[in-house]
Amino acid sequence: MNFQVAAVLAFLIGSMVSKADDLGQHPFFAAITGEWIGDGELNDRAEGKVIPIHEEWTGAKKDGGSFSMEGMRNWGDEIQEFRWVFSFNTVSELFECEYWQTGMSDTLKFDVILTDQRVQIVAPFGEPGGEISIENSLKDGGIEGLVSVKNANGDVVVGGAVIHVRRE
């Protein structure tokens, strides 16, 4: 019995790692491969203003099995180049994401929860105990992106949504 359980676990882990070797083959990333346009707004409660967001980006698998989302963003009046790179860490056996945008010297590292229909990424942000969370879900042929920035008390200080549609 122990041998059978060990064999099944080895098969499942092997299947997970082999699928993770090329994130472009994962159902979520396969669905977002291509060119996208996103529009929405974030409510900055600390500043008392609404920030319009417009993004144009491309999702693509990369060498080494990673997947990237790269493009340009209008954050209010500011124009930013950005890059999200998702990968599978074979040592920790967890999905990871690194984020960079114009003006950043270092990348921001996110923990990743990935299913066939959504990806949620979370990272420490701002003051100790603060965090940023982004959840992208496949909806009606597009992507609904929910953004939440919380302070150390767990209060949402910036939040909103960006809806992404395929570029025609």
Side-chain angles (χ1 to χ4, degrees):
M1 183 75 160
N2 287 339
F3 174 75
Q4 290 173 331
V5 170
V8 168
L9 287 174
F11 172 76
L12 291 174
I13 290 170
S15 297
M16 181 179 76
V17 172
S18 66
K19 287 180 184 174
D21 286 343
D22 183 359
L23 288 184
Q25 300 301 314
H26 186 280
F28 180 83
F29 293 115
I32 69 166
T33 297
E35 295 184 7
W36 294 84
I37 297 173
D39 287 293
E41 55 187 32
L42 300 179
N43 182 1
D44 185 337
R45 294 177 180 120
E47 298 287 325
K49 63 182 179 180
V50 174
I51 305 163
I53 304 294
H54 175 79
E55 297 180 335
E56 297 187 16
W57 56 274
T58 301
K61 65 181 185 174
K62 296 294 185 184
D63 292 339
S66 64
F67 188 89
S68 74
M69 298 164 59
E70 300 181 38
M72 300 295 287
R73 171 189 304 122
N74 291 33
W75 177 282
D77 295 332
E78 184 180 339
I79 297 174
Q80 304 169 339
E81 180 181 355
F82 66 89
R83 178 178 59 247
W84 299 90
V85 178
F86 293 84
S87 60
F88 183 76
N89 183 322
T90 56
V91 174
S92 68
E93 296 187 353
L94 297 172
F95 294 100
E96 301 174 335
C97 179
E98 289 190 3
Y99 174 74
W100 172 88
Q101 74 180 35
T102 304
M104 291 177 64
S105 56
D106 294 322
T107 59
L108 183 60
K109 297 183 188 303
F110 286 81
D111 294 329
V112 176
I113 300 169
L114 180 62
T115 71
D116 289 356
Q117 295 295 308
R118 76 176 181 91
V119 63
Q120 181 180 13
I121 55 177
V122 179
F125 191 76
E127 59 193 55
E131 74 172 24
I132 182 170
S133 173
I134 302 170
E135 182 175 323
N136 287 319
S137 300
L138 301 177
K139 298 239 175 154
D140 302 321
I143 305 166
E144 177 186 60
L146 303 176
V147 179
S148 174
V149 179
K150 296 180 181 178
N151 64 18
N153 296 327
D155 302 322
V156 176
V157 293
V158 176
V162 178
I163 305 301
H164 305 266
V165 296
R166 277 200 187 277
R167 181 184 288 272
E168 306 243 347

